[in-house]
Amino acid sequence: MNKVKTISCIGAGYVGGPTMAVMAYKNPHIKINVVDINEEKIRLWNSDNLDDLPVYEPGLAEIVSKVRNKNLFFSTQIEKAIDEAEMIFISVNTPTKTYGIGKGMAADLKYVELCARQIAEVAKADKIVVEKSTLPVRTASSIKRIFAEQKKDFNFSVLSNPEFLAEGTAIKDLLEADRVLIGGENGEAIQALVDIYSAWLPEERIITTNIWSSELSKLTANAFLAQRISSINAMSALCEKTGADIDQVARAIGTDSRIGPKFLKASVGFGGSCFQKDILNLVYLCRHFGLEEVADYWEQVIKMNDYQKHRFAEKMVNAMFNTVNGKKIVFYGWAFKKDTNDTRESAAIYVADKLMDEQAHIHAYDPKVNYERMLEDLSGLRTRVEEKNTELLKFETDPYEAAKDAHAIAILTEWDEFITYDWQKIYDSMKKPAFVFDGRNILDHGKLRDIGFEVSAIGKS
Ligand code: UDX
Ligand code: ADP
């Protein structure tokens, strides 16, 4: 097979955008079209002001500025992009189903199927179709069926190439990937994709497997990572009862090379677009195959995460004399982790919702998240009418202004800037007793107590 000269990527989101930017940067001889149905998103990807890019990732804007309109193009012309490319990545969203069979568990594949159908209809020559979205195992076979039904006299090869980048470090994760996984059956198609990645990664980091192993590896990797967080969070609850300190425990166990130090940071709970969705998917898959015990085992990781979020909110209410009704509570952070503007499944949403049930007044500040996004996150929970959300959740643009007359400050995201704030100034402007609830264990608690704060953290008594 000749080398790929044109790639198209359907879906210009958190995965498609950064991945294609790096691919274009490292393969200047390949033209890459990134297309999306969302016109506003494409307009922002093409914006002259790089601060407007729809995805915030450290290092992304620099790379986009180097390759955009040279060999990386953002547009809404999906059919043209399909027609032009020898290789097409599907990077559309696969949220958890909110209706029908598998509601709340299975991945909603309608966007993937729509893409596959569109590719099948438009294509006039051989195509390599690469699944980039996180998908349930055996999705590739459904995609192949759709292509087979078209009965066209050229080949569609389907590859699975799951994304392992983490938001906030996406560019680094792409440039220095631990591994790239390519699942497929057609050797030529696999080689074509290997060639693209080997432009910047050593070949030994490019793992090829059969397509099912590749699809399942993505779910397994995320399940294992999330399981570590739920495990450390479970121990954090016990630490709070016993006087042990979760950060000390994590450090002690992390030095065991069999356990390792990463992903042992106790927190208010994991968020993000992948962990919960992928585990629910895994649980659904296991139930489908009658593996009840396996399903229950993984489901517990989610239950522990829900428990951690609720526990945090409850602890806040208990500490504040069992009532937060009418009290001003300031959230520092709304994103699901630092260095991203993504809020999907962020613990902040669930903690806010619970406190709003208690009639608290939440004032939220996040360096990268806007008010519209926060309100959409809350309305997605459908707990109360929109007007009530607007009444109980206020937006703040200045962390010091936000703190004025507040009863409490809660850290929901581990943004570095929170550590460097003038906490004496914050204390002076707050109502007393002034509470700090550190859901990320990032602040200097001793220093805060010296100032006069009542401090409560995760896994510390
Ligand atoms: C994850 C996987 O890491 C990545 O490989 C996959 O491609 C997509 O899903 P992401 O969700 O972007 O990436 O971020 P990640 O760094 O994994 O964090 C997920 C959540 O876990 C965040 O809310 C984070 O704050 C939380 N977390 C992470 C902890 O609470 N403690 C930790 O020790 C690590
Ligand atoms: P991810 O984190 O998986 O990248 P996002 O929601 O950030 O998820 O991005 C997925 C993108 O896919 C969205 O911008 C959405 O508009 C786009 N999309 C969904 N379906 C289609 C489709 N059929 N054609 C083109 N783009 C699509």
Side-chain angles (χ1 to χ4, degrees):
M1 177 184 258
N2 292 330
K3 296 254 183 215
V4 169
K5 290 188 213 66
T6 306
I7 290 176
S8 291
C9 171
I10 308 182
Y14 284 91
V15 171
T19 309
M20 292 303 128
V22 168
M23 218 171 250
Y25 178 55
K26 292 292 183 180
N27 288 280
H29 54 287
I30 300 181
K31 177 185 177 190
I32 303 189
N33 300 306
V34 184
V35 289
D36 203 293
I37 35 173
N38 184 330
E39 284 178 16
E40 175 62 6
K41 204 173 255 190
I42 291 298
R43 190 186 67 74
L44 293 173
W45 277 114
N46 282 320
S47 168
D48 288 335
N49 182 356
L50 290 168
D51 288 338
D52 286 346
L53 296 186
V55 171
Y56 172 73
E57 277 294 340
L60 173 65
E62 287 88 324
I63 291 191
V64 168
S65 71
K66 285 187 182 130
V67 289
R68 197 176 54 186
N69 297 329
K70 291 199 177 83
N71 67 326
L72 179 70
F73 301 88
F74 293 96
S75 91
T76 51
Q77 293 179 286
I78 301 175
E79 298 202 347
K80 181 163 174 277
I82 294 172
D83 188 36
E84 266 186 33
E86 297 111 63
M87 182 179 275
I88 302 167
F89 287 80
I90 302 184
S91 289
V92 300
N93 37 334
T94 50
T96 304
K97 271 186 90 174
T98 53
Y99 55 88
I101 300 166
K103 178 178 171 181
M105 300 291 287
D108 192 340
L109 296 179
K110 75 174 173 200
Y111 305 106
V112 172
E113 186 177 332
L114 279 170
C115 277
R117 286 184 186 278
Q118 201 171 7
I119 295 169
E121 276 162 29
V122 173
K124 298 194 219 64
D126 291 357
K127 303 280 172 203
I128 300 170
V129 177
V130 187
E131 302 174 342
K132 197 80 192 148
S133 313
T134 305
L135 296 164
V137 183
R138 307 200 81 93
T139 306
S141 65
S142 317
I143 297 181
K144 276 190 202 157
R145 271 284 311 275
I146 291 169
F147 293 148
E149 292 297 323
Q150 289 290 313
K151 301 198 174 50
K152 291 192 173 171
D153 54 1
F154 44 82
N155 288 323
F156 290 104
S157 305
V158 181
L159 300 178
S160 158
N161 174 218
E163 190 50 75
F164 293 108
L165 65 81
E167 289 174 31
T169 51
I171 299 303
K172 187 173 175 291
D173 294 343
L174 285 161
L175 289 173
E176 300 161 24
D178 287 339
R179 59 18 187 133
V180 165
L181 184 54
I182 301 173
E185 274 127 38
N186 177 332
E188 275 190 23
I190 293 175
Q191 191 53 47
L193 189 51
V194 168
D195 287 345
I196 291 165
Y197 282 109
S198 50
W200 79 95
L201 292 169
E203 291 226 358
E204 62 272 16
R205 286 205 218 151
I206 304 174
I207 303 171
T208 54
T209 65
N210 77 32
I211 205 150
W212 322 125
S213 302
S214 169
E215 288 180 332
L216 188 57
S217 297
K218 168 77 188 215
L219 296 190
T220 310
N222 279 343
F224 271 57
L225 290 169
Q227 181 199 41
R228 278 174 77 92
I229 304 170
S230 276
S231 298
I232 203 75
N233 282 345
M235 300 319 286
S236 77
L238 190 56
C239 283
E240 287 166 32
K241 298 284 181 204
T242 56
D245 178 316
I246 197 63
D247 288 333
Q248 293 178 356
V249 172
R251 201 165 138 243
I253 64 164
T255 50
D256 182 329
S257 61
R258 293 167 302 174
I259 297 175
K262 294 182 183 165
F263 267 72
L264 288 179
K265 184 76 188 159
S267 68
V268 55
F270 60 74
S273 66
C274 283
F275 284 173
Q276 172 152 318
K277 181 185 79 175
D278 287 356
I279 294 175
L280 289 174
N281 223 321
L282 188 62
V283 170
Y284 186 71
L285 190 73
C286 294
R287 294 242 153 85
H288 172 78
F289 288 112
L291 303 171
E292 287 300 323
E293 286 77 2
V294 185
D296 291 347
Y297 176 75
W298 287 111
E299 194 167 32
Q300 200 57 34
V301 173
I302 300 289
K303 287 187 180 160
M304 183 52 61
N305 197 48
D306 290 339
Y307 168 73
Q308 190 75 349
K309 292 181 274 191
H310 289 154
R311 206 168 69 79
F312 186 76
E314 266 169 31
K315 222 166 70 162
M316 289 178 71
V317 177
N318 291 344
M320 297 167 77
F321 317 109
N322 290 315
T323 176
V324 288
N325 190 327
K327 289 184 179 167
K328 177 177 179 183
I329 299 178
V330 175
F331 273 27
Y332 283 170
W334 189 271
F336 81 97
K337 61 188 280 196
K338 72 171 178 179
D339 293 339
T340 179
N341 59 346
D342 195 352
T343 64
R344 285 176 287 181
E345 292 300 331
S346 179
I349 306 167
Y350 296 90
V351 175
D353 189 56
K354 196 144 175 80
L355 295 173
M356 286 160 74
D357 273 347
E358 299 291 328
Q359 304 301 317
H361 291 245
I362 309 294
H363 289 239
Y365 164 76
D366 186 291
K368 291 287 174 199
V369 182
N370 60 34
Y371 192 36
E372 212 182 343
R373 180 72 263 152
M374 294 176 185
L375 287 174
E376 272 174 31
D377 290 338
L378 279 172
S379 73
L381 299 182
R382 299 202 177 89
T383 311
R384 61 189 74 73
V385 293
E386 309 269 330
E387 298 78 56
K388 199 73 188 161
N389 281 337
T390 332
E391 182 193 322
L392 293 176
L393 177 75
K394 298 283 180 238
F395 183 66
E396 299 284 350
T397 52
D398 178 326
Y400 294 100
E401 279 300 313
K404 275 187 189 153
D405 293 322
H407 291 81
I409 293 188
I411 307 283
L412 274 304
T413 312
E414 73 281 22
W415 286 102
D416 292 335
E417 66 173 62
F418 302 157
I419 303 168
T420 58
Y421 285 173
D422 181 345
W423 283 91
Q424 180 70 55
K425 182 172 161 189
I426 291 171
Y427 177 80
D428 292 341
S429 72
M430 287 175 67
K431 286 208 189 308
K432 309 295 174 324
F435 293 90
V436 166
F437 299 94
D438 186 354
R440 297 288 184 163
N441 287 354
I442 53 167
L443 302 177
D444 182 339
H445 302 146
K447 204 165 136 199
L448 291 180
R449 287 197 180 100
D450 289 345
I451 292 173
F453 281 107
E454 296 274 335
V455 182
S456 174
I458 304 282
K460 293 166 194 279
S461 51

